[in-house]
Every structure is written in C-alpha cells, then in structure tokens.
Amino acid sequence: MAIIVDNDTKLVVQGATGREGSFHTLRNRAYGTDVVAGVTPGKGGQDLEGIPIFDTVAEAVEETGANTSMVFVPARFAADAIYEDVDAGIETVICIAEGLPAHEMLRIFNYIKPRGITMLGPNCPGALSPGKANVGIIPAEIFREGRIGLVSRSGTLTYQIGHELTQLGLGNSTIVGIGGDPVVGSSFIDVLAKFEADEETEVVVLVGEIGGAEEEKAAEFIGSEMTKPVVGYIAGFSAPPGKTMGHAGAIISGTAGTAEGKKEALEAHGVRVGTTPTEAAQLAAEVAGAVRA
Amino acid sequence: MAIIVDNDTKLVVQGATGREGSFHTLRNRAYGTDVVAGVTPGKGGQDLEGIPIFDTVAEAVEETGANTSMVFVPARFAADAIYEDVDAGIETVICIAEGLPAHEMLRIFNYIKPRGITMLGPNCPGALSPGKANVGIIPAEIFREGRIGLVSRSGTLTYQIGHELTQLGLGNSTIVGIGGDPVVGSSFIDVLAKFEADEETEVVVLVGEIGGAEEEKAAEFIGSEMTKPVVGYIAGFSAPPGKTMGHAGAIISGTAGTAEGKKEALEAHGVRVGTTPTEAAQLAAEVAGAVRA
Amino acid sequence: MDLYEYQGKELFRRFGIPTSEGRLALTPAEARAAAEQLGGQVVVKAQVLTGGRGKAGGVKLADGPDDAEQKAAEILGLDINGHLVRKLWVESASEIAKEYYLSITFDRGEKKALFMLTTEGGIEIEQVAEETPEKLARLHVDPLEGYQPYQARRLIYGAGIDNPSEQKQLLDIIGRLYACFVGTDAMLCEINPLIVTPEGEVRALDSKFTVDDNALYKHPDIAEMRDPESVPPEERAAREKGVTYVKLDGEVGILGNGAGLVMSTLDVITLAGGRPANFCDLGGGGDAQGVVDALEVIIADPQVRSIFFNIFGGITRGDEVARGILTALEQIGIKHPIVVRLDGTNAEEGRELLAEAGPDNLHVEPTMLEGAKRAVELAA
Amino acid sequence: MDLYEYQGKELFRRFGIPTSEGRLALTPAEARAAAEQLGGQVVVKAQVLTGGRGKAGGVKLADGPDDAEQKAAEILGLDINGHLVRKLWVESASEIAKEYYLSITFDRGEKKALFMLTTEGGIEIEQVAEETPEKLARLHVDPLEGYQPYQARRLIYGAGIDNPSEQKQLLDIIGRLYACFVGTDAMLCEINPLIVTPEGEVRALDSKFTVDDNALYKHPDIAEMRDPESVPPEERAAREKGVTYVKLDGEVGILGNGAGLVMSTLDVITLAGGRPANFCDLGGGGDAQGVVDALEVIIADPQVRSIFFNIFGGITRGDEVARGILTALEQIGIKHPIVVRLDGTNAEEGRELLAEAGPDNLHVEPTMLEGAKRAVELAA
C-alpha cells in the first residue's frame, strides 16, 4: 500500500523540460517512479530522455494514463497548471512550486476539495514511498522501506527526521511534505487519515512547527479518530514571537501557535513529543518496538 | 415516501411577507405543509399569521430546524437568497422566482451540485406530494394522492396533465415542476432517479416540450436505469421553428429539439408518448392498470 | 437579445478583441461617406438578425466611395429571410489567408460554458460538426474555475493550429472572448470567420452575439442597443404590452397561460383539424388589462376567425381571468366567437362569472379538447 | 507586506469605503501645512507598522496648525515597540458616537475568508473574542461563492446592529471591503474602529492592511508602497540579498536551509546551552553567492562568536553548498569558528570537499546535535 504515491502512480510532470524540472523528473524516474509523461506547451512531440512531452495534460492523460501530476512550473503559472490537472482527470496533484498567491490557492482548494482530488503543496517537497515511488524533491537515498508514516510541514526538517529514523534502523511507509504555504491542499488531518487507513503504516511521526493551529487540530483528530500511535516533533521552542497577521489571526485559531502550546495539545491526546529530531526519532523507535512486541 | 417534499419538510419561505409570497405561503400551510418560518430582512421578530419571520435564513434554521426553502423574492435577489440557503444548511431549495440571469444560475448550479443540494427552478411551480406537502404555486386541489410520479418543465401544462389523471381516478405520489429557465437546478434525470428510488411511485409521467435535449437524455436514462414504466407527453408538435441560439445550440445537443424527435427518442426506449394531455393521461392509466394487475 | 454584427463587434472591441475598422450607414450617402473615411476597398454588409445574408446578396465588396454608395443602394431594402435590410456596416476590406471559427455559448445540458474552435471557419459550423467532427475542438469551462489559459491551449492544440504567432494571438483572443462572454452576460459570442490575414494577423470578421434578456438590467448600455424595428410589428406591439406573441398562419386565435400549455393548445387545435393563428402566452398574469392587451394583438390579425382561451390557474386565478375577459369584451367589443376553458385555482368562480355575465359570442367549455373542437368549428 | 494606516486607507478609498480626509506629513512643518489645508481640529497619528501607538503617545488631537506642528514634533522620533516614528498622518478629527470593529482575513484552518464584526470596537479584538464572544459576529466566505449580500446581513444582525441607516451603510461597506480584500490580494483588512458619527455616518477611522507578498507582482502600485526603512537595517540588507534573516540576541550565528530546519537548529542550540544570534534561512539556494550574502549579514552582528552551518540537502545539493562555503570563506576571510553539518543530496561529496580544502576554523561534524554542541563550545 503506502499512501499518495506508490506502484500505481503514473506521473506526468508539468514543467518537465525546465532546468530544475528535468533534473528532478529524471531523478524521480531513476528512483523507480513510473514517469509516463512531461508537459510543456509548444514542446509536444519531443521527449526528455525517452519520456514523451505533450502540449497539454489532457493529451498526456489520454496517451499515457497518467493519474498523478507534479507541478514544477513557476508560481505564476501554477494555478493554471493545477486546474489543467483537475480538468484532465488527474487524481493526485503534487505542487512543488512555491509562491502562489494565497487568494488563488484559496480558490483552488475550495474547487478541488468537493471533487475528491488529493493535493500536496504548494511549496512542498512531495511524497516518497520508499521502494515504490518518489514524486518531488525528497532525497530518497536517505530513507528506507518500513512501517513509519511521516508527515511534515517542513521540507528539510522532514529529511532530518527521516535521516534520524534511518540511523536507528527504521524505515518509512510514506514520507509526506504537506507544504509550508498559508493555504495548502492537504492538512495534517487529511494525511493522518490516510495513514490510519494504510495497512503498511504502524506508527506515524508528525513534524510540526510554530504558527497556525494545524497541529492542535491534528491532536484532536488523533485523540478521536486514530488507533495507530503517533509521535510528534515541533520546531520553534526557542523562536522569537513571529510577525502576526494583525490581530485577527490569533482569534481565528484560538491558539497562540507556540511550540509549547502545540506540544501540550499533542500530549493531551496521548502523543509523545520529542524536543529534538533525534529525540523524536528515538520515541518513534520505542513506539515502533512496542507495536512489534 | 414521495420525493423532494413530504411530511418531513420543514419549510422556510424567503420573501414570505410580499404580496404573492404571503398568499402562497399561507396557501401551502393551509394545505398541510409544515411552514416553520419566513425570512424578510428587517422584519425579524414579526409574524405572518403565526409563522415567525426572521432576518436571515441562518436564524430561521437555527430556531425552527427548517430544511427546505421556497424562494419567493424578486429575481435580482434570488441568487443571494439561494446562496444564503446553502450556507445556512438548507437541503432543498425550491425557487419560484423567475428571470435569474443565466450566468448567475450557472454559477449557482455548479456551486450547489457537489454539495448535494436538491434544487427546483428557477421559474418553476414547485413540488406537491398530495396529502403530505405542497411547496410552491401548484393548485393542490386538482390533484389527489396516488402512485403516479409527474415531472414537467412547464407549470400550467403540469396542472393540465394532473387534472386529466384525476379525472381518470388516478392520483400522484409527487408532482414536480423542474422549471423552464435555461439552467435549472434539477434535470428530468435527477427527478426520474428519485422516482425510481421512491417506494410510493409506480409509474412516472414525463411532460416535456420542444427545445433543448433534456427529453432525449431522459430517454437514455429511462432505457438504461429505470425499472418503473414511464409515459411521456411532449408539447409543441405544431409549433413553428423557434428562434435558435445562433448556430452553436444545435451542435451542442446534437438534436434539433423538435417534438417529433423527442417523441421518437422516448419511444425508442420503451416510453409510450401521448400527443394530447388527455391521451397521455389515458396511457398512464393503462400502464398503471397493468402495474397493478 | 440578439445583436447586430456591428453591435457585437463594438462589444468585442471593448474587450480588446481585434476587429476591422468600420462605420454604420443607414443610407447610400452614408455608405459613401464611410468609404471615404475608411479609404481603400470596403465591404458593405447588411445588418440583419438572421443568417445567410451572403447568399442573399447582403454582403458586397466595393472599390471605393462611388462603388460603396451603389452597393449600399442595392443592399438596403433587401428582404433576407423575412428581415428587411435597414442598416449597413461598411468596413475596411480584409485580405484573408485563413478562416477559423471561434465561439463560446451555454451548454444547457452540461451546465457549463462551451468553447468551440476550428480551422474550418467561414462555413456553417453544423457542417463541420457533422462532416469533420475531429476538426472541431470543444472545451467546457466550469464557471467556478473561470477562464484559465490551459483552456485556450487545449483548444488551439486540439484544433491543430501550430503557427506560434497565431497560437499567441489566439491565446489572447480566447481569454478576452471569455471575459466578454461573462462581462456582458452573453448567451452566445460567435466569431465566424475569425480570419488570419496574409501578414499573420488574427481578427474577428463577423460577430453573432446574444445577450441574456434577464441580465440586461445590469447592462443599460447594451439594453439600449435593442432595435425595436428588428421584430415584426405585431410582435413588437405585443412585447410592449408584456405579452409573448408569435404570429402564425391559421384562423384560430389562441390565448393561454404558460408556454407549455399554449404549445399544447396549438397541438390540440391542429389535431382537431384547425390551424392556429398565433402563439400567445399571458404568462403569470391574467388581470383585465393583460387580457385586453392580448386580445387587441390577436384580433389585429385579419385571418383570425375564432379565439380559444385556454387557462389553467396556478399563480393565475380563474376568477381574475374571468373578470379580465368580461372587462376586455366590454372595452373592445369583440365580434369574434370566443371559446373559454377555465380550470385550476378559483376556476369554479370564474366559470360562474362567465356564465352569468358573458355575451352571446362567449362559449364556455369544460375541457381543453372540447374547447379546441368548438373553436375549430367556430372558425370554419 | 504590512501597510501603514494611510496606505490602507488609500486602498479603502479606491474601493469606496468612507474614510476621513487627511494628509501625510514627514516633518512638523508639513503637519502644520496639513492642518491648515484640512481646517478645524485634526488628529496627528504616528505611522508605524505595530500596534499600541495610542498608549505610546503616538496619536494626539490638535486644535489647529500651531498645535498640530507641536504635536507632530512630539510624535516624530518616538520609539513605539522598537519602531521609529518617521511619518505622520494628519487627519480631520472625527466626532465619535460609536466604535465598531470590522475585518476580513484568511482563516487558514477553514480555508475560507473570515469576516468579523462587532459593536465593541476601539479595543483589542482579542479581548472581545475572549470576554464577550457572543458580541463578535463571524462569517466565512467561500471564495467560489464570493461575496453575497446575505453575508453582510448575517454579520449586521449577528452583531446586533439594528439602526436601519447604519445597516444600510454597513451593507455597502462590507461588500466593498470584500472587493478590496480580493482586489488587492490582501491577507487582512481590518477597520478598528469603524466609527459612527453623531450624525449617523459610518466611516473607517483606522486601517490595518496586509497584502500577500506572493501576489504583489499583480499590483505594482501596492508594491511601491513598501517602505524599506520600516524594517531593521540588518534585515533589510538580508532581504535585498534574498536571504531570510531575523536578528536575535545570542552568540551562535545560525545558517540553514528551510525554515523548519533552521527553527529546529535554534532549539538544538538552546538545548545545548547556547544562545542563537539569529535566524537565517538560505531557502532552496545554497550557491556560493547565497552563502557569501548570508555570511556577510551574520558576521555584521558583533555579538556573533561562532557560526553553525546546518544543511540538509534536498533541492539544495551538498557539493554546491560546500563549494559555496569554500568560496565564501576565500572571499570574505571570516575569522569566526565555523561548524558545518552536511547531509542529504550529494552530502558525501560536499563533506569531502570541505575536508580537503577547508581552512582551520572550519569544523565538519557528522550530526546536527554534535554540530550544535561544537558551535556552542566554540562560542564560549
């Protein structure tokens, strides 16, 4: 199984012929991901080291059966690219591009949600199911197969935790970066629900950070909906109070968004929280051992 | 059972204090419909012969548990009223108002569809489930309880057919006017599917007219999805060719939209079609007799 | 509301869609002046709200002012499918390398807007759809998603347009056409042909434009474009009175409430062996003035020999209609035999009123079929 | 990007939201001139991108030009929560009968815009939310639905505003505020207080306005409103170089890639007994120039005693970072001890490059924890 990306993933890359786009497209393919197509308007008919390039996603889907898209176009073209995916019948959109205007992403989110599309990002590192598929920019070589699900708002911090797990001999079912932008396609809860339903996942590590109320909501969800153990890590205990969005922000979330507050919320729902990535990995190892025992 | 409106209907009327609005609100209540509230901004706290009036639909829903709304406001305010219903959690919207700009209705349709809202109209006479509830302007006194479902694009033509059925001693489960505007909330197919699922309905009479391709689509649906017998009536055999929407219209539907074409499409899927309301009612009587036998 | 070519092009220009320069002319002299101002070759085009004007001789090339004046004189006054030519659009002649077709309209079935683009422009689009459907690129636009550039790309690549300069211009035009469609509450915006000049410039050479009547209140400038003289005088008179009326060719005048019921009434009259003289829908009304207005329009048709009044009350109340009929008969003293059939809300009261106070030429019948038969007999 | 009160009000006015008349003044003389032009009583208001200016003496009533000049002199140069007052907004004084609060912002959790309205304006809205939540009307707006008038009605009735004239004005203002919020790609538009004058006129007396940085390319006019001097000089220097930098109060300079990892690094430094000197995120880059730029900003802080370089490569490649570090050290000859921890994409190659060519003050550590400990030791 694994979640979001796996052996059934048939990937089309939007912006596959750009500098970064082609590097990661080929890297994802080299990992074993079934990269079936690239899309660059005007380059239809060409190929990227054997990967056929199409002018439109609709053509790519029709010709190759692509079901997942990686969006690697500049931010100004990303909204168009995402709508193009939805229209072409793509089921999973992974948007690496960062810097989409928030109002555009707000419309996209509310458009795709009732249509059952799974989206990661914008501004996310993608998803990696070790041994199956890697879609995005996660350095796959530092992860190994296993039964720990990992979900994070932060790219490099995800790698750090994953790396620590690997050092302890643990592997992952899927590593998911949900993205750091104000409005992203999947919340912690969306991904936790998928891990809960995934047979291969035994333990979940949730990597949060200061700001917003997503971790607090996730804590509630874990308390009420999850049977699998969750271990947490929160970054930003020593961060200075960040810039706030005027006065309205804190009222909305009903939380100050501090690392301490998030830790407490998670612990109140039975989630053990590490204060360093190393400690979080060790907790995960303990919990995974207990699950096995 | 019956469909769309029944004994579980708790009706809020938007525009209940207007001249036409109050007449039909009270008429609906006199019939036995559970009219729980009216909404007129600025008149919150008043009442219409005992029906409490609220400023907003949200208040009405909160205070009275209304689940169905009848929209009786002028066309320019109807879109706002419909969005207000959706936002307040109303499940069934029956829009009597006519003359909504088509682009507004297009947005409304696409907004409510994935949200599972049932909508009739705009420009529709409403729905009547004899003996249970009447929401709209259908003259209930000419109908009686029974097992024939009736669905129509036209108001007065619906009454005519219903009247003919009554003359033959037949009654209706529900009479549904879907409305005559270019974009309406429910198609023939939507209503046919509800009749198919309704235990109380044994036979369905479909009342169509020239123009568009809704009857042809309904014919396909009847052929592939319905087990209950359907009798048809189409108005406009002797109508002059109507004004067309430029040249694009006919291409879209792939049909000329003639009464003859619709009749043939229905008959091709086993639907017997009457050429006068009287004949259609007689066919329905025959079919209903066969069902009973 | 349908717009003339020149009006549609004016709206196109407002949204930045390229068109040729031109002038409106109502007389040959104005056509000459227009040609002088424009210079060079011009095309003199009949402005009529119907198709087929080319075949009917309504579009002519003119070499200069003299020629334009003469061509204008030839075209003005033509009858094109029943439409009298009263206006001309005199436009700088375009050299045409290619003719494309582009439109956006409502797909009522899908409940989305529909773009269509093909390189097979200039001819009837139905023909393209039937004979070479693979050349007709179609794409639906979800109104909540709105226009996105990929839609234009799908259309352009789908239609097989591979010239990069044309692609670029079309991408722009398609986006602008969507803005125009939504911004004017249009039901149809059609450009046929959308030409490519020998220099590679893409431009709208014609326009077919329909605006939603229900949205005209938002666009007073467009509402003013309505040309009352474009509809037959009897329909115009009816419209001014708020009555929907279409003249037909028979002897039985028909009046009813609701388009469906009126259409059904036409059918029943035909089945009874008669010929309907008109389609006339009172709508939701039915008060005395509405009935008077409708009757006046119907009896203005000298072919009418009898009148069938077919009313089924819902929002319309039978007693009101009966009073309306009685008042109307008093006011305008109709001699025609009138058959009335009344059912629905307050029908009983209405029938009683008519029975008590009705004049001799008023016949009340209990059913639609019987009423129709009687009206046909009385028209014989 | 946060806007000053006067800039936010300019945008309000563009969308038709009523505000008082005023003038910007950078000197006491300009404040005098503004007061002369405006006439009558004026309010002299410090323009700072922080709250609490009232309590800090940043808002003063002035009776006329003389008084305005004097009040301006008192306010200019004030330090309000670390923000130096360099600009004033001189505005016609308003008589205030009531103070309301109205805002629209992003609810990131619900993924919808959120309106808030209360009659308890003028004070901190957090206090209202906490103490009298029933007085705070809230309503989410689905961006696909867009603004609909019922939303304003729900807010107005929900906040208990029952004066018909106020209702009417608020209905208008709420619709315009939504148009402003969407039309400027704002993240927050807050009016506190939204006053009602004794004459019953509703008007925005203050503005708090945040625009989405990612959308500024669509709004060049708003982008020009950015005041580079509003941020501390060291952050400004970093920003000009494309580096995200926040100065803190410790000794260990920190450089990393990705906000999450840098925050985690601050935590680990703190747990190791050190104090971070800054937050500095290289972002997705890591080329030589990026590293040089970031290091220059960090060592400009005289408190910095050691530097911890914590890189986990993803899109950033370890060998490129290593080359960047080596080039940077060559170019700017840093004397500070530097601890480098490198993992992820091409980390092996990077570590080798550093081991081969690194100067003596460069210490390569295998893990984040060990790197942090070493950096703290070296800062001691």
Side-chain angles (χ1 to χ4, degrees), chain D residues 211-251:
Chain D
V211 178
D212 181 7
D213 286 317
N214 289 331
L216 281 177
Y217 75 89
K218 298 179 182 176
H219 308 285
D221 53 331
I222 299 175
E224 272 180 23
M225 291 181 175
R226 190 188 293 281
D227 177 7
E229 293 179 40
S230 67
V231 292
E234 64 276 9
E235 286 180 31
R236 204 186 316 154
R239 187 179 288 175
E240 277 163 14
K241 290 169 175 167
V243 176
T244 308
Y245 174 92
V246 180
K247 178 160 168 33
L248 303 172
D249 205 33
E251 298 80 30

Side-chain angles (χ1 to χ4, degrees), chain C residues 77-92:
Chain C
L78 279 182
D79 181 312
I80 302 181
N81 302 331
H83 293 253
L84 182 73
V85 180
R86 295 173 299 104
K87 298 181 181 193
L88 302 170
W89 178 241
V90 182
E91 179 175 272
S92 294

Side-chain angles (χ1 to χ4, degrees), chain B residues 20 23-24 27 76 99-104 106-107 109-111 137 139 141-142 154 156-157 159-160 163 182-184 209-210 214 217 233-238 240 243 245-248 251-252 275-278, chain C residues 105-109 111-112 114 116 124-126 129 138 142-144 181-182 185-188 190 208 212 214-215 217-218 248 257-258 260-261 263-264 266-267 270-271 312-315 317 341 343 345 368-369:
Chain B
E20 290 291 326
F23 176 80
H24 289 284
R27 205 154 161 252
R76 290 182 196 197
L100 267 78
H103 280 269
E104 278 180 19
L106 201 68
R107 282 191 293 271
F109 179 87
N110 284 281
Y111 187 75
I137 61 172
E141 59 278 12
I142 57 172
S154 158
T156 44
L157 195 47
Y159 315 155
Q160 178 67 39
H163 181 64
V183 183
V184 289
E209 57 189 58
I210 51 169
E214 287 299 302
K217 287 189 187 169
Y233 171 71
I234 305 291
F237 282 89
S238 57
K243 289 178 186 175
M245 281 180 55
H247 283 198
I251 299 175
I252 295 171
T275 48
T276 64
T278 313
Chain C
T105 185
F106 265 61
D107 185 337
R108 297 173 184 215
K111 271 110 173 166
K112 291 187 164 61
L114 177 70
M116 290 193 276
E124 299 280 313
I125 194 64
E126 289 92 332
R138 305 167 184 223
D142 185 307
L144 301 182
F181 179 67
V182 174
D185 276 285
M187 303 297 283
L188 169 72
E190 186 178 75
K208 205 159 275 158
D212 181 8
N214 288 330
Y217 74 91
K218 299 179 181 177
L248 302 173
N257 64 325
L261 184 61
M263 272 193 288
S264 180
L266 301 188
D267 292 348
T270 307
L271 286 170
F312 208 112
I315 204 163
R317 302 172 208 169
R341 179 272 180 150
D343 256 313
T345 311
M368 179 163 160
L369 277 184

Side-chain angles (χ1 to χ4, degrees), chain A residues 247 251, chain D residues 55 99-102 118-132 135-136 190-194 206 208:
Chain A
H247 284 198
I251 298 176
Chain D
K55 283 180 198 148
E99 291 186 301
Y100 294 168
Y101 168 101
L102 174 65
T118 173
T119 55
E120 306 289 301
I123 56 169
E124 299 280 311
I125 193 65
E126 290 92 332
Q127 199 181 323
V128 180
E130 199 164 310
E131 292 171 12
T132 50
K135 290 193 173 171
L136 184 61
E190 187 179 75
I191 308 177
N192 188 20
L194 178 69
D206 197 357
K208 205 159 274 158

Side-chain angles (χ1 to χ4, degrees), chain C residues 290-343:
Chain C
V291 175
V292 168
D293 291 341
L295 280 174
E296 278 179 343
V297 172
I298 289 171
I299 60 172
D301 176 358
Q303 277 187 266
V304 169
R305 304 262 286 276
S306 71
I307 297 170
F308 182 28
F309 233 103
N310 190 17
I311 301 292
F312 208 112
I315 204 163
T316 303
R317 302 172 208 169
D319 52 338
E320 276 194 24
V321 175
R323 272 187 216 99
I325 295 172
L326 293 173
T327 312
L329 294 184
E330 236 178 76
Q331 278 185 25
I332 51 177
I334 297 180
K335 299 280 175 294
H336 301 70
I338 298 179
V339 179
V340 179
R341 179 272 180 150
L342 210 52
D343 256 313

Side-chain angles (χ1 to χ4, degrees), chain A residues 215-237:
Chain A
E215 291 80 3
E216 286 85 342
K217 287 192 187 166
E220 298 263 343
F221 179 82
I222 293 164
S224 65
E225 307 290 331
M226 286 192 74
T227 61
K228 296 179 183 177
V230 179
V231 168
Y233 173 70
I234 304 290
F237 282 89

